[in-house]
Amino acid sequence: MVAAKKTKKSLELINSRLQLVMKSGKYVLGYKQTLKMIRQSKAKLGILANNCPALRKSEKEYYAMLAKTGVHHYSGNNIDVGTACGRYYRACTLAIIDPDEKIIICSYLPFKYLSYMFPQVNLHLKKMLQEGGPLPGPKSELLSNAQK
Amino acid sequence: MLLPLRNVMLVLAGHHSERKAVIMKNIDDGTSDRIYNHVLVAGIDCYPCKVTRAIGKKKTAKKSKIKSSVKFYHSNQLRPAKYSVDNPLDKAVINKDVFREPVLKCKPKREAKFKSEQRYKTGKNRWFSQKLQF
């Protein structure tokens, strides 16, 4: 029960995050285009639907591994991914090219993905954890501090 | 850059499909005559045959020959592999000027062949000289 609730919450997070990315316009939908972006190292994060064919999924993961890009396995099928992007068609793969920093600050993304988009944030957080003590207040503060 | 130089790729399309190749040059966003992102590769056309100790010296020499090819491919027609290759092929010899006339291709092919055979005989980059098994 608890696990189901947790996944629902993270799904909502991803969805709200995707909505913001759609507004900013720096994304690419569809298998061919996402591969192109990953090949040119422009993609910051790749998202795969859960009913993506296994060959395509592993191919995308391999490309992302070589490019050192993150891959997120969306907990929903291609219809859900398309809906989350506000489209009336299906999309198995999606690549986020250039996340607008202001948009990220507003949303409460899991840190796992923030670290792919902003590697300096991850380092900053690691440093803080090493120094000990709890992480300070809202995540937006952290980010703005990291960017300084 | 996802496709750095000297990375090995698998060619998927065309006459040289299921062969391995080394990236010589990666051209994103294309040029005027090729408007897509393409890659210049130097690859293996015919792999060396299997060689054992029982086979005599003359036969092993014959079986260890590599036939090479130099070609442009669309990036879609290649799959990158995690391997890369040590001794670099001479970029001055293998470049896009070579494709103006078929006669000019002889020298870069020979260069690619020579370097590939060297690699095979010294035992470096084993994966590159092996036929793709499937």
Side-chain angles (χ1 to χ4, degrees):
Chain A
M1 209 54 206
V2 177
K5 223 178 176 181
K6 211 173 171 186
T7 52
K8 204 173 176 198
K9 192 176 178 196
S10 63
L11 186 64
E12 280 168 12
L13 284 175
I14 303 287
N15 277 345
S16 57
R17 170 73 180 72
L18 274 180
Q19 272 175 30
L20 292 167
V21 173
M22 294 303 133
K23 269 190 219 162
S24 78
K26 305 273 177 57
Y27 63 92
V28 141
L29 278 177
Y31 172 64
K32 262 177 120 176
Q33 286 194 310
T34 53
L35 270 192
K36 210 175 175 182
M37 287 301 134
I38 291 180
R39 231 182 267 139
Q40 295 176 352
S41 308
K42 283 186 192 162
K44 296 284 185 316
L45 178 67
I47 295 175
L48 290 168
N50 68 358
N51 68 340
C52 194
L55 180 62
R56 189 177 291 187
K57 189 187 287 180
S58 48
E59 193 193 357
K60 183 99 183 287
E61 284 173 353
Y62 194 71
Y63 264 92
M65 178 267 290
L66 288 176
K68 301 188 186 65
T69 306
V71 167
H72 172 57
H73 296 274
Y74 191 80
S75 55
N77 60 7
N78 49 3
I79 306 173
D80 299 332
V81 172
T83 313
C85 303
R87 305 295 155 120
Y88 293 114
Y89 48 80
R90 302 171 288 272
C92 244
T93 52
L94 161 67
I96 296 172
I97 298 172
D98 191 17
D100 198 6
E101 294 185 1
K102 290 178 212 158
I103 286 174
I104 302 295
I105 287 170
C106 299
S107 74
Y108 277 58
L109 238 199
F111 274 130
K112 188 164 79 163
Y113 304 114
L114 278 180
S115 67
Y116 286 123
M117 316 248 190
F118 304 105
Q120 66 269 26
V121 172
N122 201 18
L123 290 172
H124 185 75
L125 286 173
K126 272 187 185 166
K127 204 173 140 194
M128 294 176 83
L129 285 169
Q130 272 172 6
E131 286 164 13
L135 296 176
K139 296 179 186 181
S140 56
E141 209 171 293
L142 257 180
L143 278 173
S144 53
N145 281 339
Q147 276 151 29
K148 282 179 197 161
Chain B
M1 198 76 262
L2 175 55
L3 305 177
L5 299 176
R6 297 198 263 132
N7 244 33
V8 182
M9 307 207 91
L10 282 174
V11 180
L12 294 182
H15 175 241
H16 296 284
S17 61
E18 303 132 32
R19 309 266 198 276
K20 296 170 191 167
V22 179
I23 299 180
M24 295 309 303
K25 190 160 191 215
N26 180 20
I27 300 134
D28 277 342
D29 306 327
T31 53
S32 56
D33 43 342
R34 282 170 201 264
I35 327 168
Y36 43 86
N37 48 345
H38 54 283
V39 185
L40 174 61
V41 293
I44 290 187
D45 191 359
C46 294
Y47 284 99
C49 296
K50 188 173 168 193
V51 149
T52 56
R53 197 185 296 164
I55 305 172
K57 258 194 198 168
K58 239 166 92 177
K59 274 203 177 164
T60 52
K62 231 182 171 188
K63 287 198 176 197
S64 309
K65 288 199 178 151
I66 292 181
K67 188 173 178 202
S68 65
S69 66
V70 176
K71 256 180 106 71
F72 270 112
Y73 282 107
H74 193 284
S75 319
N76 278 353
Q77 294 170 341
L78 299 169
R79 281 284 168 267
K82 61 182 181 188
Y83 302 95
S84 65
V85 139
D86 296 346
N87 67 341
L89 300 162
D90 195 4
K91 263 207 248 175
V93 175
I94 306 177
N95 55 17
K96 70 172 177 67
D97 296 331
V98 146
F99 292 88
R100 272 184 288 130
E101 277 170 47
V103 184
L104 295 171
K105 264 207 224 173
C106 183
K107 203 173 174 203
K109 271 195 194 173
R110 183 143 322 135
E111 152 84 12
K113 173 187 156 78
F114 177 66
K115 287 274 161 69
S116 307
E117 277 182 2
Q118 230 180 26
R119 247 183 259 134
Y120 172 62
K121 279 172 188 163
T122 55
K124 283 191 209 171
N125 308 124
R126 279 256 161 92
W127 188 78
F128 184 77
S129 320
Q130 281 169 357
K131 208 163 168 185
L132 191 65
Q133 299 282 352
F134 64 93

